[in-house]
Amino acid sequence: MTDPARNPARRDQDVHFHSVGEGPPRYRLRTDKPVQYVTVIDKTGGAVLGYVWAGDEDDAAAWVPRDDAGGRALAEGGHWHARLRGAKERGLLPSQALAELLASPEGNRGRVVPDSLADAPNSDAVDALAASDS
C-alpha cells in the first residue's frame, strides 16, 4: 500500500471539497442609498434602544443599537434581526419588512414607536444617529 504522504498524486485524489452555501437569504447590512427607519424604545422605561432601517434599492435592512443603551439594546437586537431574516426568507422587500414591524411593533424588551417612520440618506446616517443619541 502506498503512503499518501509520500505520493502527492495519491494525496490529491483523496482531497474532497464540499461547497458550503451562503446560508439563508439575508438583507445587506449597509447601503449608500436612501433608507427609512423606525425607532425602538424600551417597554419598561421608554428609553430609545435603537433603530431598524430598510432600503429597497440595495435590498438592505438592519438593526442598529443605540450606543449608550448598553446590553439591553444588544440583547434586543436578536429579536429584530430574526424578524428581518424571516421577512427576507419569505421574499419581502426591505420596505415591506419595515411595514410589518410597524404593524406588529412588539419586541422582547422593546417596541417600535408608532409614527416613528423617518427618512435618512443612507445606513451610515442611522448609525450616526444611534451613536449621537443621548
Side-chain angles (χ1 to χ4, degrees), residues 3-129:
D3 180 3
R6 294 183 184 182
N7 183 342
R10 173 73 177 130
R11 184 176 51 233
D12 290 344
Q13 292 172 3
D14 289 342
V15 176
H16 298 280
F17 293 97
H18 297 280
S19 176
V20 178
E22 295 178 18
R26 296 175 195 255
Y27 297 118
R28 292 183 56 195
L29 299 177
R30 292 249 173 278
T31 180
D32 61 354
K33 306 287 192 279
V35 299
Q36 290 190 304
Y37 66 94
V38 294
T39 303
V40 176
I41 60 169
D42 190 309
K43 286 181 184 180
T44 58
V48 175
L49 294 176
Y51 307 93
V52 181
W53 62 263
D56 289 347
E57 284 188 64
D58 279 340
D59 194 39
W63 158 258
V64 181
R66 194 172 115 188
D67 283 358
D68 64 356
R72 197 161 176 87
L74 293 175
E76 182 67 1
H79 172 78
W80 301 106
H81 283 298
R83 289 188 63 184
L84 289 171
R85 186 173 47 249
K88 177 64 175 173
E89 288 172 352
R90 289 182 283 120
L92 297 182
L93 292 171
S95 61
Q96 293 171 317
L98 205 57
E100 270 193 357
L101 298 182
L102 281 166
S104 180
E106 295 299 315
N108 292 328
R109 294 169 180 82
R111 75 169 60 88
V112 173
V113 175
D115 300 322
S116 67
L117 187 64
D119 297 318
N122 54 45
S123 61
D124 287 343
V126 181
D127 289 346
L129 178 63

